[in-house]
Amino acid sequence: MSNKVLIIGGVAGGASTAARLRRLDESAEIIMFERGSYISYANCGLPYHIGDVIKERSSLLLQTPEAMSAKYNVDVRIESEVISIDKENKFVEVKKTKTGETYKESYDTLVISTGSSPIKPPIEGINSPGIFTLWTVPDTDEIKKYINEKKPKKAAVIGGGFIGLEMAENLHEAGLEVTVVEMLDQVMAPVDYEMAQLVQNNMDMNGVILSLGDGVSKFKIENGSTTITLNSGKTISADLVILSIGVRPNSELAKNAGLKLNQRGGVIVDKHLRTSDPNIYAVGDVIEVEEFISKDKAMVPLAGPANKQGRICANNICGANEEYQGTQGTSVAKVFDLTVASTGANEKTLKRWGKEEGKDYLKTIISQKSHAGYYPGSSELILKLIFSPDGKKIFGAQIVGEDGADKRIDTIATAIRLNASIYDLKELELAYAPPYSSAKDPVNMLGFVAENIIKDKIYFSKWDDINPEKPSKYTLLDIREDVELLVYTMPNAKHIPLGQLRSRLSELNKDDDIIVFCAVGIRSYNAARTLMENGFKNVKVYPAGTNFYKAVYYKYFNAQTPGQDLGNSSNEQQTANYSDNDISSTEIKASIKVDCSGLQCPGPIMKVFETMNKMNDGDIIEVSATDSGFAKDVEAWCRRTGNTLLKTEKNKKENIVFLQKGIGKINTNKLIQSNSVLPQVANDGKTIIVFSGDMDKVLASFIIANGALAMGRPVTMFFTFWGLNVLRKTEKQSIKKPIIDAMFGKMMPRGVNKLKLSKMHMGGMGTAMMKKVMNDKNIDSLEDLIKKAMNNGVKMIACTMSMDVMGITKDELIDGIDYAGVGTYLGDAEESNVNLFI
């Protein structure tokens, strides 16, 4: 005798149940009821049809009723709503939605796949015209029609979850000004607060307005548009409103049939997906599931689990004993040019379960490239992993980035499902070729870093241990290169480039609480290991570096550059305007093009710096980079170095900027840089007259010179009279001189090794002690400081007039210096804003 199976609901869970059931049992009678007009449609694709990314409406319809009937011999009854279930007598009552006619249909087995519906809380005015939810194909049709006919200019999306953010992006792409209102203090609840800031920063750069931590209290139609009053009293005006507050299970039918529900209205099922009635199964958004990590009960409305549950349900109807092993909530979303993905439990959830960081779980946040940095197009990934203190259990992961986030989250999701440890992440052998990954994939790197944390090889600070608006209780150690400081300088940080750290350890206190940071965190780890190996006790690394730091505090840093929208991905390019001859943006022609795509920070800025040094004033350079922060970085660099940012634009994942060497003739009303941030460095050089030949004073001169150079300032040192002895070669030179000149040479010190302290020389003992102390504390010697100054471009001038008076010849002085008179020095002094006499 064949089994008669009725399925209520024809979308994800219901359709997959029907198809699998037919493949297993050709004799079964299968009837599927759908109250709407469509079955098996791509619910997740609806926002992209509104944004015209999916242009054909038919593409959303994965299966038509006619095709499913023909292929699977399923009696598909659309526009047929099941209004009641009689589980004692095993029949359902069905209403034809077009005619209102009702009838009864018996069953042997019943499957409930009624899904969920958007939440519409009882807010005043919520049912007004122009306010929509998006959940079905007809919803999409209504919104598309409204946009085409009413041509709204402003849209408000209420809710910052997956659909809300996808709608925000697609409405923005359709040309609307978009505001997202979210009651929580962050968007995208499945990820933790700091990871959500990366998404919010990107939305802000793309021109979407965010109103967070504020719910809606009232909607009111005024003059054809909707005034939205928030709980704070703030009001927002919109021509179109999309409600994306959340969903609730469509469980009224199951409740009225006497099936057991949880407190949130979810239908309770066992591991085999049976309800409290053994003849009734339930799948999809309507059911309560087991949360895979905690084994607690939860509601997780996702399409992937619904489809898998449909398959298991069909297997069990046909006699299998298959169990659904729980939902771990793996999810992914595209938000403009970013992908945000998560799996398992986030840190907020662990804390809600009563777990304590350090005791019950550990975490790491790292920055990695999506593929080999030397291959064009690589971009940054920020990855967060949460794991047990022994590393044997992975609780969850979150990833945000432009490329490759999806495959990494899938890898970690698989590892979690197979109960893998962080040590297994280390061992995973993943496909590698430069266009796709690195030899050590970001997933492997998570395993390496997690192991280092467990074995006390590294300690990470919390992301909010440093706040740009508050004084820090930590000693901040910046180990980036000098040129990187032109982009961003961490206030009150000690700057020691990584390559100089070992020789300058004495500048740090071994008992201080130190947080080390670089651009992305890799160099910081090396620096932290150096410090720890040299006896420093309290050293932490700031996670994912300054790029992450600036992103999580994006509100503060974006506010530092008023009037900017450097990440705008619209077709309107922001340009500078040459007011004198009115050259349009399309006529900005670059004489040099530089591709910095995929370069590891600080690669892009370094490459721009090197290229600019070879250019002539007025030359224009076009630079492309995949680093998402590059446009902001190069803007700051221009302000600090006296160059001009002409234009920024976005081409898919590439940030493209046009720079002009020097300060161009710019109409500041149209320039990307506002008046308040125009370059202020026209006379930013430093000039130093070195008159003294005392060791301590000369030492101070070169420390100041090297410091100024690190800030990108041109430095001229003018050596005159006794200061000329600094430049003398240490070896005696065989030069014939007049007797007076020769006597002068014998009386004066020959080179830096012979210089004496101005005080406490004590017959050479004090000077020797000073040199020993400097060596013991790894302070650069005067010889090393001079070499660094020369190598880094300090202009060192020997005064020719003083040389003549002192009887010093060019052959006696070191190589690499210039010879000039006071006129040359004064010319440089006029272009400087600091002039020192030492």
Side-chain angles (χ1 to χ4, degrees), residues 551-824:
V552 295
Y553 290 110
Y554 75 94
K555 291 181 182 177
Y556 173 85
F557 288 107
N558 287 0
Q560 302 309 297
T561 313
Q564 308 303 301
D565 187 13
L566 297 178
N568 198 323
S569 63
S570 69
N571 292 328
E572 280 190 11
Q573 297 170 350
Q574 302 171 64
T575 63
N577 217 353
Y578 286 79
S579 57
D580 285 359
N581 48 14
D582 198 25
I583 300 175
S584 70
S585 65
T586 57
E587 293 176 300
I588 296 178
K589 302 296 183 183
S591 55
I592 300 175
K593 291 187 178 182
V594 176
D595 184 5
C596 299
S597 298
L599 286 185
Q600 183 79 16
C601 187
I605 288 293
M606 291 290 291
K607 198 165 184 178
V608 170
F609 177 74
E610 292 166 2
T611 305
M612 279 284 201
N613 283 341
K614 302 172 185 176
M615 294 169 59
N616 298 317
D617 282 349
D619 285 352
I620 294 174
I621 178 176
E622 176 186 336
V623 188
S624 58
T626 48
D627 180 2
S628 59
F630 174 69
K632 274 285 186 186
D633 287 349
V634 81
E635 177 195 2
W637 182 84
C638 283
R639 294 200 308 271
R640 300 289 291 273
T641 58
N643 296 298
T644 304
L645 176 60
L646 298 179
K647 179 173 67 170
T648 70
E649 58 189 40
K650 193 92 168 177
N651 181 12
K652 296 181 180 178
K653 295 177 181 178
E654 284 194 334
N655 296 279
I656 300 174
V657 300
F658 291 81
L659 310 172
Q660 184 179 37
K661 184 167 184 178
I663 302 175
K665 299 176 181 179
I666 305 300
N667 179 346
T668 54
N669 292 323
K670 298 287 183 72
L671 181 60
I672 292 172
Q673 299 163 299
S674 68
N675 289 334
S676 61
V677 293
L678 280 172
Q680 301 292 322
V681 288
N683 294 314
D684 64 345
K686 317 297 174 190
T687 50
I688 304 173
I689 299 174
V690 184
F691 179 82
S692 173
D694 294 329
M695 174 187 166
D696 45 340
K697 295 176 183 178
V698 173
L699 189 65
S701 301
F702 278 96
I703 290 173
I704 294 169
N706 281 316
L709 199 70
M711 295 301 295
R713 307 303 190 239
V715 178
T716 296
M717 300 182 75
F718 188 74
F719 296 83
T720 184
F721 287 97
W722 314 117
L724 288 169
N725 293 311
V726 178
L727 305 181
R728 291 183 72 186
K729 295 175 181 176
T730 55
E731 304 85 4
K732 184 177 180 180
Q733 305 298 311
S734 298
I735 301 171
K736 289 186 178 181
K737 294 183 181 181
I739 188 168
I740 299 297
D741 291 355
M743 290 177 62
F744 258 116
K746 288 182 179 180
M747 295 169 60
M748 291 188 299
R750 190 168 57 237
V752 293
N753 289 331
K754 300 295 183 179
L755 300 185
K756 302 174 183 179
L757 290 177
S758 60
K759 296 182 179 180
M760 298 176 61
H761 175 58
M762 297 183 295
M765 185 184 303
T767 302
M769 289 174 63
M770 172 65 77
K771 291 181 179 180
K772 183 178 186 307
V773 170
M774 290 173 64
N775 182 66
D776 291 345
K777 295 190 175 182
N778 294 309
I779 297 173
D780 282 344
S781 67
L782 182 53
E783 296 96 313
D784 289 337
L785 286 172
I786 293 173
K787 287 178 182 177
K788 286 182 179 179
M790 295 182 72
N791 291 337
N792 290 329
V794 169
K795 184 192 290 186
M796 297 172 61
I797 301 175
C799 175
T800 52
M801 183 274 293
S802 298
M803 288 173 61
D804 188 48
V805 171
M806 306 290 286
I808 297 175
T809 66
K810 291 183 180 181
D811 291 335
E812 292 179 88
L813 300 186
I814 60 177
D815 296 331
I817 61 175
D818 295 330
Y819 300 89
V822 69
T824 299

Side-chain angles (χ1 to χ4, degrees), residues 161-162 165-166 187-192 195-196 198-199 331-335 337-342 382 398-402 405-406 409:
F162 285 96
L165 297 196
E166 289 168 351
V187 300
M188 204 59 78
V191 302
D192 288 313
M195 299 295 282
L198 305 175
V199 182
S331 56
V332 65
K334 175 184 177 295
V335 185
D337 47 347
L338 282 187
T339 297
V340 54
S342 67
I382 301 295
Q398 301 154 45
I399 307 177
V400 178
E402 290 186 351
D406 53 343
I409 209 70

Side-chain angles (χ1 to χ4, degrees), residues 20-33:
R20 176 66 174 174
L21 193 57
R22 176 56 71 219
R23 287 192 290 266
L24 297 177
D25 186 352
E26 184 63 27
S27 66
E29 181 182 359
I30 307 170
I31 304 173
M32 186 168 71
F33 301 98

